[in-house]
């Protein structure tokens, strides 16, 4: 049987082990996860920027919102004629919505495999043992206790370090923040 993952992990090790080596705390590499989150956020944000026509997407979303608003108002008023007119237009709106969703999947097709490979690498590296101790406020605002309960059902066991989170939740927090900053910097008109 051919080991496909060996060479892939070799490439990922060559890319990410130097980042891991410069981490001030290689046994608990929070900075490395932050840098990887930045890299992944940059890849996905740039893919979204260049593979999706943001202006067209915004226009379609505004048109859909306006259509839904008109339909709700007509339903509130009980205006059967306007409702029938809007329902006739609804098929075209659904086509636009389907096209909009298809456009939003384009970046995912390009970024899915690299991101999954990075996740597998993180899972098998020293990052797997990462524990971040959050300030109490951040711990509660990020709904970390809820994630701990879900994790205990999925993985078994329970969180033993007070206010601690593992690598995956730390990665998600970092990626969320980095994505928002990059989207703003690259001129996206909307958040997600």
């Amino acid at each position: 049987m051919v080991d496909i993952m060996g060479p892939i992990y070799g490439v990922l090790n060559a890319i990410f082990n130097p980042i891991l080596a410069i981490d001030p705390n290689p046994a608990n590499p929070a900075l490395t996860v932050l840098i990887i989150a930045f890299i992944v956020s940059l890849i996905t944000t740039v893919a979204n920027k260049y593979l999706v026509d943001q202006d067209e997407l915004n226009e379609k979303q505004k048109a859909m919102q306006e259509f839904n608003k008109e339909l709700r108002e007509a339903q509130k008023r009980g205006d059967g004629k306007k409702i029938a007119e809007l329902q006739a237009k609804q098929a075209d709106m659904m086509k636009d919505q389907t096209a909009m969703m298809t456009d939003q999947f384009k970046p995912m097709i390009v970024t899915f495999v690299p991101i999954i490979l990075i996740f597998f690498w993180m899972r098998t590296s020293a990052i797997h043992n990462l524990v971040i101790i959050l300030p109490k406020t951040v711990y509660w605002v990020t709904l970390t206790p809820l994630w701990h309960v879900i994790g205990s059902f999925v993985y078994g066991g329970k969180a033993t370090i007070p206010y601690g989170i593992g690598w995956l939740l730390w990665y998600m927090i970092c990626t969320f923040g980095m994505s928002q900053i990059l989207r703003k910097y690259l001129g996206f008109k909307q958040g997600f």
Side-chain angles (χ1 to χ4, degrees), residues 133-147 162-165 169 173:
I133 307 301
L134 296 175
K136 290 180 183 178
T137 309
V138 174
Y139 178 81
W140 291 104
V141 168
T142 58
L143 303 175
T144 302
L146 173 66
W147 297 113
Y163 306 109
I165 62 171
L169 188 53
I173 291 169

Coordinates of all heavy atoms in Angstrom, one line a residue, residues 133-147 162-165 169 173:
I133 N -5.0 29.0 28.8 CA -5.8 29.5 29.9 C -6.4 30.9 29.6 O -5.6 31.8 29.4 CB -5.0 29.6 31.2 CG1 -4.2 28.2 31.5 CG2 -5.8 30.0 32.4 CD1 -5.1 27.0 31.6
L134 N -7.7 30.9 29.5 CA -8.3 32.2 29.1 C -8.6 33.0 30.4 O -8.9 32.5 31.4 CB -9.7 31.9 28.4 CG -9.6 31.2 27.1 CD1 -11.0 30.9 26.6 CD2 -8.9 32.0 26.0
P135 N -8.7 34.3 30.2 CA -9.2 35.2 31.3 C -10.7 34.8 31.5 O -11.4 34.4 30.6 CB -9.1 36.6 30.7 CG -8.1 36.5 29.6 CD -8.2 35.1 29.1
K136 N -11.1 34.9 32.7 CA -12.5 34.5 33.1 C -13.6 35.1 32.2 O -14.5 34.4 31.7 CB -12.8 34.8 34.5 CG -12.1 34.0 35.5 CD -12.4 34.4 37.0 CE -11.6 33.7 38.0 NZ -11.9 34.1 39.3
T137 N -13.5 36.4 31.9 CA -14.5 37.0 31.0 C -14.5 36.4 29.7 O -15.6 36.1 29.1 CB -14.2 38.5 30.9 OG1 -14.0 39.0 32.2 CG2 -15.3 39.2 30.2
V138 N -13.3 36.2 29.0 CA -13.3 35.6 27.7 C -13.8 34.2 27.7 O -14.5 33.8 26.8 CB -11.8 35.7 27.2 CG1 -11.7 34.9 25.9 CG2 -11.3 37.1 27.1
Y139 N -13.5 33.5 28.8 CA -13.9 32.1 29.0 C -15.4 32.0 28.9 O -16.0 31.2 28.2 CB -13.4 31.6 30.3 CG -13.8 30.2 30.6 CD1 -13.2 29.1 30.1 CD2 -14.9 29.9 31.5 CE1 -13.5 27.8 30.4 CE2 -15.3 28.6 31.8 CZ -14.6 27.6 31.3 OH -15.0 26.3 31.6
W140 N -16.1 32.9 29.6 CA -17.6 32.9 29.6 C -18.2 33.5 28.3 O -19.2 33.0 27.8 CB -18.1 33.6 30.8 CG -17.8 32.8 32.0 CD1 -16.8 33.1 33.0 CD2 -18.4 31.6 32.5 NE1 -16.8 32.1 33.9 CE2 -17.8 31.2 33.7 CE3 -19.4 30.8 32.0 CZ2 -18.1 30.0 34.3 CZ3 -19.8 29.6 32.7 CH2 -19.1 29.3 33.8
V141 N -17.6 34.6 27.8 CA -18.1 35.2 26.6 C -18.0 34.3 25.4 O -18.9 34.3 24.5 CB -17.4 36.6 26.3 CG1 -17.7 37.1 24.9 CG2 -17.7 37.6 27.4
T142 N -17.0 33.5 25.3 CA -16.8 32.6 24.1 C -17.6 31.3 24.3 O -17.5 30.4 23.5 CB -15.3 32.2 23.9 OG1 -14.8 31.6 25.1 CG2 -14.5 33.5 23.5
L143 N -18.4 31.2 25.3 CA -19.3 30.0 25.6 C -18.4 28.8 25.8 O -18.9 27.7 25.4 CB -20.3 29.9 24.6 CG -21.3 31.0 24.3 CD1 -22.2 30.8 23.2 CD2 -22.1 31.4 25.6
T144 N -17.2 28.9 26.3 CA -16.3 27.8 26.5 C -16.9 26.6 27.3 O -16.7 25.5 26.9 CB -15.0 28.2 27.1 OG1 -14.4 29.2 26.2 CG2 -14.0 27.1 27.2
P145 N -17.7 26.9 28.4 CA -18.3 25.8 29.1 C -19.2 24.9 28.2 O -19.2 23.7 28.3 CB -19.0 26.5 30.2 CG -18.4 27.8 30.4 CD -17.9 28.2 29.1
L146 N -19.9 25.6 27.3 CA -20.8 24.8 26.4 C -19.9 23.9 25.5 O -20.3 22.8 25.3 CB -21.6 25.8 25.6 CG -22.4 25.2 24.4 CD1 -23.5 24.3 25.0 CD2 -23.0 26.3 23.6
W147 N -18.8 24.5 25.0 CA -17.9 23.7 24.1 C -17.3 22.5 24.9 O -17.1 21.4 24.4 CB -16.8 24.6 23.5 CG -17.4 25.6 22.6 CD1 -17.4 26.9 22.8 CD2 -18.1 25.4 21.4 NE1 -18.0 27.6 21.8 CE2 -18.5 26.7 20.9 CE3 -18.5 24.3 20.7 CZ2 -19.2 26.8 19.7 CZ3 -19.2 24.5 19.5 CH2 -19.6 25.7 19.1
P162 N -9.1 24.6 34.9 CA -10.1 25.7 34.9 C -9.7 26.8 33.9 O -8.6 27.2 33.8 CB -9.9 26.2 36.4 CG -9.2 25.2 37.1 CD -8.4 24.4 36.1
Y163 N -10.7 27.2 33.2 CA -10.6 28.3 32.2 C -9.7 27.9 31.0 O -9.2 28.7 30.3 CB -10.2 29.6 32.8 CG -11.1 30.0 33.9 CD1 -10.7 29.9 35.3 CD2 -12.4 30.4 33.7 CE1 -11.5 30.3 36.3 CE2 -13.3 30.7 34.7 CZ -12.8 30.7 36.0 OH -13.6 31.0 37.1
G164 N -9.4 26.6 30.9 CA -8.6 26.2 29.8 C -9.3 25.7 28.6 O -10.4 25.2 28.6
I165 N -8.7 25.9 27.4 CA -9.2 25.5 26.1 C -8.1 24.7 25.4 O -7.0 25.0 25.6 CB -9.8 26.6 25.3 CG1 -8.7 27.6 24.9 CG2 -11.0 27.3 26.0 CD1 -9.2 28.7 23.9
L169 N -10.4 25.0 19.8 CA -11.1 26.2 20.1 C -10.2 27.4 20.1 O -10.7 28.5 19.6 CB -11.7 26.0 21.5 CG -12.7 27.1 21.9 CD1 -13.8 27.3 20.9 CD2 -13.3 26.8 23.3
I173 N -11.0 30.7 17.7 CA -11.0 32.1 18.1 C -10.1 32.9 17.3 O -10.4 34.0 16.9 CB -10.7 32.1 19.6 CG1 -11.8 31.5 20.5 CG2 -10.4 33.5 20.1 CD1 -11.5 31.3 21.9

